[in-house]
Amino acid sequence: MRFMMLMLPGEKAEKGVLPDPEFFAAMMRYNEDLQKAGVLLALDGLHPTSNGARVSFRGGRPLVTDGPFAESKEVLGGYWMIQVGSKAEAVEWARRCPAADDDVIEVRQVQEMSDFSDEIIEATKESAEALAAVPGLTARD
């Protein structure tokens, strides 16, 4: 099973305040542990929302809003994509993270095609086959 561990770093990250070098070193050791255990599929940190944009949809039309997003209470600061045997194992990896005070890690299982009904699988089969041909993109059962 694939899980995303989503880091919600609180207000400090949105203000552009970087953690100290010891924090970065601890986080790199944690990332290495994930990699050595063979569960890490991907990871990335994200810039503050002040460098981003949101595209929302109203009446079938896109509306672009440049950051920062004042109404955001929980901002995504980064993620890990891991592959483990259960939600409990994913939660245990999240518990081991050397997160700072007030950081939150949300653990969410990634949907697989096998989670959907036969009707949905059939309706998306042609698109799924086309996406499977994209280099670097892995089709999941």
Side-chain angles (χ1 to χ4, degrees):
M1 292 181 236
R2 291 180 302 149
F3 287 84
M4 285 195 84
M5 299 189 310
L6 307 166
M7 174 61 82
L8 307 169
E11 294 180 19
K12 61 190 169 293
E14 197 54 22
K15 294 177 182 174
V17 177
L18 293 175
D20 60 39
E22 292 82 23
F23 175 84
F24 275 107
M27 191 61 73
M28 290 305 294
R29 286 190 299 275
Y30 171 72
N31 293 338
E32 288 173 16
D33 288 346
L34 287 164
Q35 192 271 333
K36 287 177 185 174
V39 301
L40 183 63
L41 299 175
L43 66 97
D44 282 299
L46 301 172
H47 284 272
T49 65
S50 57
N51 296 341
R54 283 189 175 163
V55 181
S56 56
F57 297 86
R58 292 191 185 100
R61 300 184 67 187
L63 173 65
V64 178
T65 305
D66 287 327
F69 312 121
E71 69 279 4
S72 295
K73 293 182 180 174
E74 295 180 336
V75 174
L76 183 61
Y79 71 93
W80 298 264
M81 177 75 77
I82 61 173
Q83 185 159 0
V84 294
S86 67
K87 177 181 158 186
E89 188 177 351
V91 168
E92 186 55 37
W93 276 108
R95 290 171 52 101
R96 293 177 57 188
C97 182
D101 284 347
D102 299 321
D103 286 352
V104 173
I105 297 176
E106 184 176 325
V107 178
R108 305 269 306 274
Q109 187 172 353
V110 176
Q111 290 181 323
E112 307 288 353
M113 285 304 290
S114 59
D115 295 328
F116 297 104
S117 69
D118 291 341
E119 296 85 30
I120 291 174
I121 292 170
E122 186 60 34
T124 61
K125 189 174 187 176
E126 188 175 309
S127 294
E129 289 170 356
L131 288 173
V134 175
L137 191 62
T138 305
R140 303 285 177 185
D141 63 323

